Amino acid sequence: MPHLATTYAAIFSLVTIGGKTALASINRDRTLDFLLRMKDASGGFRMHDNGEIDVRGCYTAMAVAHILDLLIPPLTLGVAEYVCSCQTHEGGIGGEPGAEAHGGYTYCGLAALILINQAHQLDLPALLNWVVFRQGKIEGGFQGRINKLVDGCYSFWQGGVFPCLQLLPEQLLHHKSIQHENEETILRLNELKIRKQSSNAEISAAFLFPAWKDNRSKHVIHEVEDQCQSDSNERMKLVTDYKYGPLFNAQALQGYVLLCCQVLEGGLRDKPGKHRDYYHTCYCLSGLSVAQFSMSRSLNALPLPSTVLGPFDNLLAATHPLCNVVLDKYFYAYKFFHGDDDSSQI
């Protein structure tokens, strides 16, 4: 049975392999059919036929659609409203409305809305306040929920929230009341939408992470590029030149991953006393990369040696904050699927 989580894992495994053969093996049309079939009237997504609806579905669907250039309005409709309905009084995001805030769902909800340029609809100051207190003061790792033990996998699910927030304009992280008072700021942070009555299409001018463009709509984008050039330059600057450093203890997180999660024979684990496995190996390493690059001033910048715990050859490759694949593989795949003829030169 096809499943959104395994679809996400398979697509981004092929992205990680890279190259035209791997990427061309993905059937985009059938993938889009599956995503549309999983779409629910609530705005969320079922994980599989007749399966559960939760925030994982929103993220895995939006991430797959993003990289494959399939982010069409029928997919994105209602996603922001569904994710926002899962944000709790704690500030984090639960798996479904009424559920407890959880690290994995918080990352998934935030990343999904950034991918479709709707993150401003969340109460971001409350979300930030919740996530900063999930790092253990003694262990240095992150817990997934309040009053739970730390777990190596949350090195990414919680630690990965911070580079996602660094992609957003700093104004969005101010107190919620300030956001509402400054209506002009919020409007500027909304995605620029152009409605063409002839095609009834919504075209998003999101220049770092374009939300949707197909053959029918490309001419519309060209018509407005000149009009919004100054706005696009500002948005590019806001999401590529970080305005503030990490809001967590990156050295402590590196220490927890390297000293507590690493198994000397190879692989990584939840915590001492647990067995190593592929899942924790993946997300411990992803969180370690996030921590090592946390002081970088932009997405592509190398960190200073002083920010890497231990010898500098401990440094891992940078991972994309929204898709969790190595940056060069992400950019290659992005250009491959979004129609850039020079993708083979990356």
Side-chain angles (χ1 to χ4, degrees), residues 267-284:
L268 293 101
R269 59 193 174 190
D270 167 346
K271 58 178 63 70
K274 299 287 187 177
H275 295 289
R276 58 187 173 176
D277 58 62
Y278 288 121
Y279 173 83
H280 284 90
T281 297
C282 170
Y283 288 106
C284 285

Side-chain angles (χ1 to χ4, degrees), residues 10-23 25 325 329 332:
I11 294 294
F12 283 99
S13 293
L14 290 168
V15 168
T16 299
I17 293 170
K20 292 183 177 180
T21 301
L23 299 181
S25 71
V325 290
K329 300 291 188 177
Y332 182 97

